[in-house]
C-alpha cells in the first residue's frame, strides 16, 4: 500500500485530521526547474504564500524509499543544494525506481498528485505542468512525448493550480488531450487561457470562473463525483509577464537547439527551462518564481474555500 511508504509531516497530518486546508507543492521545480539559490527562495516563498492564505504547505519529495508530504527547512535545503544530476526526477512511471534507489528524488506533477492524494490533500500548486511536447504528434517523426501529468490529471482527484501550459508545449494538443482525459480546465478571471510566460495564449480557456469561490464550487463537485483531477489556470501577474516576443524567440531557439542536440524524454523539460533562462539572461527565472508564488497563494485560497464548504455542507 502506498500509505506504508508515505511519511506525512506532523503539522500537515494535524491539519488534515482537523480538516483544515492543506496545499501540496511539487519538488521537481526545485531540483530540475530552477537553479540554486532561486530554487530555494521559491520553495520557501511558495510555502509562505500558502500560509498567508490560511493553509498549510506540504512540499512533496522522495527520500530513502519514502514519499514525504511536508519538508522541513533542512530537507528543502538539501534538495535545493544537491549536486546536479544527483536527484532523480520521479513521475508515475519512475516512482517505483526512485523509491527503490534510495537517496533523494523530486516529484513531478504526476508523482506529487499520487502522494498528495494518498495523504488526503485536495489542492496542489505548481508553475507549469507537463503536456504534449511540440513535435509529439505532428511532423515527419512524431516523438509521442506526452507528459504523464496529463493522464494523472485524468485519474487522480486533486485540483492542480498552474499558470497555464507553457509554450514549450503544443498547447492546442495539450488542451485536446486534457479534454479526452476528462479534465476540466478552468481559468480564473479571464476568458483566455493564460500562456505561462504571458497572460495570453491566443486560445480560449475551455472553462472560466470569475474567482476562486467559483472554481471551488466546480472543483468540489468534480472531486466528489470521483471524476479525477481539475486543472486551474491563473494568469501571471501583469507586472511579471515577459514581453511576448522575448519569450517566443527564446523558446523557439531553445527548442531548435534541443532537437539538434538530441535531447529527449524526461531530460527535455529541464533542458529547455535552463536554456530559456540563459537566453533571457535570467528574466524567465524571475517571472517563473513570481508566478509559482502567485499560484501558491491562489491554491491556498482555494484550499480554504473548499474547507469552509466542508463545514457548511
Ligand atoms: N514545467 C515548468 N517547470 C517545471 C516542470 C514543468 O515550467 O519544473 C516540471 C514539472 O514537475 C512537471 C514536469 O510535472 O516538469 C514535466 O516533465 P515531463 O515533461 O518530462 O513530463
Ligand atoms: Mn516526456
Amino acid at each position: 500500500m502506498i500509505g506504508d511508504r508515505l511519511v506525512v509531516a506532523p503539522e500537515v497530518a494535524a491539519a488534515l485530521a482537523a480538516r483544515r486546508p492543506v496545499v501540496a507543492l511539487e519538488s521537481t521545480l526545485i531540483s530540475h526547474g530552477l537553479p540554486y539559490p532561486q530554487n530555494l527562495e521559491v520553495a520557501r516563498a511558495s510555502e509562505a504564500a500558502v500560509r498567508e492564505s490560511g493553509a498549510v504547505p506540504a512540499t512533496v519529495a522522495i527520500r530513502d524509499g519514502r514519499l514525504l508530504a511536508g519538508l522541513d527547512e533542512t530537507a528543502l535545503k538539501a534538495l535545493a543544494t544537491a549536486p546536479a544530476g544527483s536527484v532523480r526526477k520521479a513521475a508515475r512511471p519512475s516512482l517505483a525506481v526512485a523509491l527503490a534507489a534510495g537517496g533523494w528524488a523530486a516529484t513531478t506533477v504526476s508523482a506529487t498528485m499520487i502522494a498528495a492524494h494518498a495523504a488526503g490533500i485536495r489542492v496542489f500548486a505548481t508553475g507549469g505542468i507537463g503536456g504534449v511536447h511540440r513535435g509529439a504528434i505532428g511532423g515527419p517523426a512524431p516523438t509521442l512525448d506526452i507528459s504523464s501529468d496529463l493522464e494523472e490529471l485524468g485519474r487522480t482527484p486533486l485540483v492542480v493550480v498552474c499558470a497555464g501550459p507553457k509554450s514549450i508545449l503544443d498547447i492546442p494538443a495539450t488542451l485536446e488531450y486534457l479534454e479526452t482525459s476528462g479534465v476540466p480546465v478552468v481559468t480564473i478571471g479571464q476568458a483566455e487561457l493564460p500562456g505561462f510566460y504571458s497572460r495570453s495564449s491566443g486560445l480560449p480557456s475551455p472553462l472560466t470562473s470569475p474567482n476562486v469561490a467559483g472554481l471551488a464550487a466546480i472543483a468540489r463537485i468534480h472531486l466528489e463525483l470521483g471524476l479525477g483531477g481539475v486543472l486551474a489556470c491563473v494568469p501571471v501577474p501583469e507586472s511579471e509577464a515577459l514581453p511576448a516576443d522575448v519569450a517566443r524567440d527564446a523558446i523557439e531557439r531553445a527548442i531548435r537547439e534541443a532537437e539538434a542536440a538530441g535531447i529527449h524524454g524526461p531530460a527535455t523539460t529541464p533542458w529547455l527551462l535552463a536554456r530559456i533562462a540563459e537566453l533571457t539572461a535570467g528574466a524567465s527565472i524571475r517571472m517563473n518564481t513570481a508566478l509559482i508564488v502567485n499560484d501558491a497563494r491562489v491554491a491556498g485560497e482555494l484550499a480554504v474555500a473548499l474547507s469552509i464548504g466542508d463545514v457548511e455542507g
Side-chain angles (χ1 to χ4, degrees):
M1 270 211 353
I2 191 162
D4 300 338
R5 298 205 167 255
L6 186 67
V7 179
V8 181
E11 185 196 10
V12 176
L16 290 168
R19 310 210 63 172
R20 281 187 277 121
V22 175
V23 173
L25 300 164
E26 61 141 315
S27 46
T28 296
L29 68 90
I30 303 174
S31 61
H32 293 71
L34 292 165
Y36 180 81
Q38 287 94 341
N39 59 352
L40 184 56
E41 285 161 21
V42 80
R44 287 178 179 147
S46 314
E47 293 211 343
V50 168
R51 287 188 196 283
E52 274 160 33
S53 294
V56 173
T59 302
V60 172
I62 292 168
R63 189 178 56 198
D64 295 338
R66 301 270 176 241
L67 274 162
L68 311 180
L71 301 186
D72 61 19
E73 174 63 21
T74 313
L76 273 187
K77 201 162 181 185
L79 196 56
T81 55
S86 68
V87 176
R88 281 170 190 271
K89 172 179 167 185
R92 174 178 278 265
S94 43
L95 184 57
V97 70
L99 287 165
W104 279 109
T107 49
T108 65
V109 168
S110 65
T112 304
M113 288 180 78
I114 292 167
H117 176 55
I121 299 170
R122 291 179 292 183
V123 180
F124 163 18
T126 186
I129 58 158
V132 178
H133 277 270
R134 296 217 214 157
I137 53 167
T143 62
L144 278 182
D145 187 353
I146 299 171
S147 175
S148 61
D149 291 352
L150 299 184
E151 294 274 313
E152 201 62 50
L153 280 159
R155 69 204 288 177
T156 302
L158 220 76
V159 187
V160 177
V161 178
C162 73
K166 212 176 219 170
S167 37
I168 60 172
L169 302 168
D170 180 337
I171 298 178
T174 299
L175 279 185
E176 293 295 344
Y177 200 102
L178 286 165
E179 183 187 22
T180 303
S181 307
V183 180
V185 177
V186 186
T187 295
I188 301 181
Q190 65 179 39
E192 189 177 354
L193 185 77
F196 190 95
Y197 288 111
S198 75
R199 295 171 69 86
S200 123
S201 68
L203 293 172
S205 178
L207 299 164
T208 295
S209 172
N211 50 36
V212 170
L215 168 64
I218 299 167
R220 165 177 300 284
I221 297 175
H222 194 83
L223 298 182
E224 279 173 4
L225 293 177
L227 298 179
V230 174
L231 185 65
C233 299
V234 180
V236 58
E238 193 92 68
S239 56
E240 309 290 348
L242 282 189
D245 54 335
V246 172
R248 193 186 49 238
D249 291 353
I251 290 165
E252 300 295 344
R253 181 159 163 202
I255 288 176
R256 278 198 310 275
E257 290 178 357
E259 269 167 29
I263 308 295
H264 66 276
T268 305
T269 300
W271 196 94
L272 290 174
L273 296 179
R275 190 66 186 120
I276 291 165
E278 283 172 6
L279 292 170
T280 60
S284 70
I285 293 177
R286 286 190 292 280
M287 71 89 53
N288 216 328
T289 301
L291 68 81
I292 292 167
V293 173
N294 189 50
D295 292 349
R297 179 183 60 76
V298 172
E301 292 170 3
L302 174 65
V304 169
L306 287 173
S307 73
I308 290 170
D310 291 341
V311 176
E312 287 171 350

